Amino acid sequence: MNRVIIFDTTLRDGEQAAGGMLNVQEKLGIARQLECLGVDVIEAGFPASSKGDFEAVRHIALEVRRSSVCALAHANPKAIDTAWEAIGEAEHPRIHVFLSASDVHLAHQLRKSREEVLGQARDMVARARKYVGDVEFSPMDASRTEPAYLYTILEAVIEAGATTVNIPDTVGYAIPQEFGGLIRGILDNVPNIGRATISVHCHNDLGLAVANSLEAVRQGARQVECTINGIGERAGNASMEEIVMAIKTRHDLFDLSTGIDSTQIYKTSRMVSDLTGFMVQPNKAIVGSNAFRHQSGIHQDGVLKKAITYEIMDPRDVGIPASSLVLGKLSGRHAFKERLAELGFALAEEDLNRAFLAFKDLADKKKEVTDRDIETLVAEEMRTSSETYHLDHVGVSCGDHGMPTATVRLIGPGGQVSADAALGTGPVDAVYKAINRIIGVPNRLTEFSVSSVTAGIDAIGEVLIRIESDGVTYTGRGAATDIIVASARAYMNALNRLLAAKKRNSVDAG
Ligand code: KIV
Ligand code: ZN
């Protein structure tokens, strides 16, 4: 088999990262894009973990038709039943059961013997198999599990019906040669391994997630679990764009392929970054803003003569858009819709109408509207489509001798309009205080940064903030040509996420 199955866990392990919380609409938007990208399996979430996750997984299962939709489940009957309830109507459903396998987890976390865990794994895979033919099993912390015991568990779960066995390097401890050896050992020592696909799931604590995954593939693994931009628990997961482009660029070495349409990579990366609030570092391989930029004179000279001198990949292959001027203030709704489609956005009619109004507004302020501006604008629209409170107006008065003052007007649940004003140490502080006077949920600002989406004095400013409430971090993003407005939108975005999480928690508790 020369095809590597790409299993994307951006919506599950990726979303688990501190501050990366997404709402149902945002998850659906990402799932649609993952399907366009050609992902084989979308791990949509962990239905038993919360009502919100359950709903998101259910919506994704109802909508996604080409990719398999996978739900994660603890190895217990209720979690497996709930997972099935959420994905039962998917075109290609998969249940992913996991259970710790290493002695360190058994002794200190599960407090169970190896025999008990073996029996539980076997029984729970059999239970999942009663619902669906596509069942994956993960012995958590596999890279720190004694190999002989790991082989025994794998044999037992395959016997019970697992069609994929996933080998997680849960704590990012493995080194490529060693991890590749583990995969080889599984192929050589698990008698029925021919009846299942070997998958790998590597974390990046030592910066080796991609290297470990690639070595595993070289040794015979045929599914890689990964996330867009490498987001995930702690230091993250193996980055999908790096895995896919390594397999494609070094076809000479791997002689393998994936089903990914690589020209969709850049767009997916931007979307995930915009919606999760996790910025992509400029030097990030494949999707960083510097990834295809040549600074040194010698390199520039070489690339101008022949790109292959210093470029191992064509930026167009990952869908990096040429920085073109696309639309202006005379462009109509039809042209805007076409451009959105070319950029890969399929918006519902109502969202399209709102995005078009925002585009017209932007085109009035900004001479040149680029693809990046349009992507930012669509992300802003997606952020505001499921708000509890909407920012209807923000105004500030400030200056070197004045007292920074802000007025805000918000539209809350049931269309209720509330307005207030506050003084602050600066204009942003004043705006945030005025908003807090209306919403009244205690929180603390822990991070604030501003960047510009494109170059030029009329560029859109993008604000990223993180706030903390009851020990949980919430990310917010906002964009506008006015950075005070962008700051206010970012704060509203974070507060809306906080309010949604509190609502979900109270429903879960009740
Ligand atoms: O890292 C891990 O072990 C996981 C499992 C649930 C597969 O995310
Ligand atoms: Zn993980």
Side-chain angles (χ1 to χ4, degrees):
M1 199 179 126
N2 287 345
R3 173 88 139 66
V4 177
I5 296 166
I6 296 296
F7 176 115
D8 180 274
T9 183
T10 305
L11 295 173
R12 201 277 298 168
D13 218 324
E15 206 234 2
Q16 242 165 268
M21 236 179 259
L22 297 164
N23 64 34
V24 174
Q25 286 315 313
E26 291 167 337
K27 285 187 185 179
L28 249 182
I30 291 177
R32 285 190 196 115
Q33 179 54 26
L34 291 172
E35 193 175 30
C36 285
L37 179 65
V39 162
D40 298 288
V41 187
I42 298 173
E43 187 162 54
F46 194 171
S49 67
S50 70
K51 288 237 164 47
D53 227 30
F54 178 91
E55 274 312 305
V57 176
R58 205 173 60 83
H59 277 86
I60 293 169
L62 287 172
E63 186 156 330
V64 166
R65 299 285 94 182
R66 290 194 304 277
S67 312
S68 298
V69 178
C70 175
L72 183 70
H74 296 112
N76 71 54
K78 189 156 188 295
I80 291 169
D81 299 350
T82 308
W84 179 247
E85 235 183 279
I87 56 156
E89 287 181 66
E91 189 75 31
H92 308 288
R94 175 182 290 194
I95 298 180
H96 177 187
V97 180
F98 74 101
L99 182 61
S100 285
S102 66
D103 283 341
V104 64
H105 280 206
L106 264 56
H108 301 293
Q109 199 177 12
L110 299 186
R111 304 214 165 90
K112 285 189 173 166
S113 70
R114 284 184 177 189
E115 287 65 36
E116 283 173 290
V117 165
L118 182 64
Q120 185 179 346
R122 191 193 290 121
D123 292 351
M124 292 306 111
V125 165
R127 185 178 189 99
R129 259 317 282 263
K130 288 206 180 115
Y131 288 122
V132 63
D134 189 356
V135 172
E136 171 168 332
F137 177 76
S138 288
M140 197 151 80
D141 205 17
S143 55
R144 292 193 301 168
T145 300
E146 194 214 354
Y149 179 60
L150 183 63
Y151 304 151
T152 309
I153 291 204
L154 296 180
E155 186 181 352
V157 295
I158 294 170
E159 205 46 51
T163 43
T164 298
V165 285
N166 180 43
I167 311 304
D169 182 23
T170 303
V171 290
Y173 179 72
I175 302 294
Q177 198 187 15
E178 175 191 35
F179 196 61
L182 181 62
I183 302 303
R184 186 93 324 266
I186 291 168
L187 280 165
D188 291 343
N189 292 289
V190 177
N192 53 3
I193 195 67
R195 283 163 38 199
T197 301
I198 301 185
S199 166
V200 288
H201 175 112
C202 298
H203 278 273
N204 208 27
D205 300 66
L206 293 173
L208 292 169
V210 169
N212 284 334
S213 307
L214 291 174
E215 185 51 27
V217 163
R218 257 173 37 81
Q219 297 302 331
R222 285 295 175 268
Q223 174 177 289
V224 176
E225 302 200 351
C226 44
T227 60
I228 302 295
N229 301 333
I231 64 171
E233 275 284 345
R234 309 179 309 278
N237 289 60
S239 132
M240 181 205 289
E241 56 278 7
E242 294 177 26
I243 302 274
V244 167
M245 290 315 286
I247 291 175
K248 185 176 165 112
T249 308
R250 296 307 310 274
H251 188 263
D252 58 322
L253 192 82
F254 289 100
D255 193 21
L256 293 169
S257 64
T258 68
I260 297 294
D261 171 2
S262 64
T263 63
Q264 292 286 324
I265 285 180
Y266 179 76
K267 175 171 182 281
T268 318
S269 159
R270 293 293 335 160
M271 185 181 197
V272 168
S273 168
D274 282 340
L275 293 178
T276 58
F278 293 129
M279 298 260 187
V280 175
Q281 83 218 39
N283 60 321
K284 165 84 178 62
I286 318 294
V287 289
S289 54
N290 287 348
F292 291 93
R293 231 179 238 168
H294 303 275
Q295 200 64 30
S296 118
I298 296 176
H299 289 207
Q300 286 175 351
D301 174 61
V303 167
L304 286 173
K305 287 177 177 148
K306 189 88 180 156
I308 199 176
T309 50
Y310 291 93
E311 264 180 10
I312 59 164
M313 292 168 275
D314 184 333
R316 285 169 300 188
D317 275 356
V318 290
I320 296 199
S323 49
S324 56
L325 166 65
V326 281
L327 298 174
K329 69 183 198 178
L330 298 178
S331 308
R333 191 174 182 281
H334 184 69
F336 178 66
K337 189 176 173 184
E338 295 261 290
R339 193 64 203 128
L340 283 179
E342 277 160 29
L343 290 171
F345 293 111
L347 300 191
E349 202 56 23
E350 202 184 310
D351 296 337
L352 175 70
N353 290 342
R354 278 210 320 271
F356 181 62
L357 288 179
F359 159 72
K360 279 303 212 189
D361 192 37
L362 178 64
D364 270 342
K365 293 183 185 138
K366 199 171 181 291
K367 230 169 43 204
E368 302 181 344
V369 180
T370 65
D371 289 351
R372 267 299 285 131
D373 291 327
I374 294 180
E375 283 167 11
T376 308
L377 190 146
V378 172
E380 185 64 42
E381 283 313 303
M382 283 183 75
R383 278 193 286 267
T384 52
S385 64
S386 53
E387 295 178 311
T388 308
Y389 281 93
H390 178 69
L391 179 73
D392 187 44
H393 156 85
V394 55
V396 291
S397 135
C398 57
D400 55 357
H401 295 303
M403 288 203 286
T405 316
T407 52
V408 297
R409 189 170 55 237
L410 308 185
I411 303 180
Q416 198 191 331
V417 178
S418 316
D420 216 321
L423 296 173
T425 51
V428 173
D429 183 49
V431 168
Y432 286 11
K433 283 189 171 130
I435 291 174
N436 277 334
R437 284 173 65 89
I438 298 175
I439 296 188
V441 180
N443 69 85
R444 191 170 64 84
L445 183 69
T446 55
E447 200 180 317
F448 179 94
S449 65
V450 189
S451 58
S452 113
V453 170
T454 49
I457 193 74
D458 59 357
I460 294 183
E462 202 170 19
V463 173
L464 168 78
I465 66 161
R466 291 191 209 280
I467 59 174
E468 206 185 278
S469 179
D470 291 334
V472 182
T473 299
Y474 301 89
T475 303
R477 264 185 145 164
T481 46
D482 179 317
I483 60 161
I484 300 298
V485 177
S487 305
R489 288 181 177 167
Y491 195 46
M492 292 302 298
N493 181 228
L495 285 172
N496 275 307
R497 283 169 191 261
L498 188 166
L499 293 170
K502 287 212 183 303
K503 194 165 151 200
R504 273 199 306 270
N505 291 345
S506 66
V507 172
D508 287 351

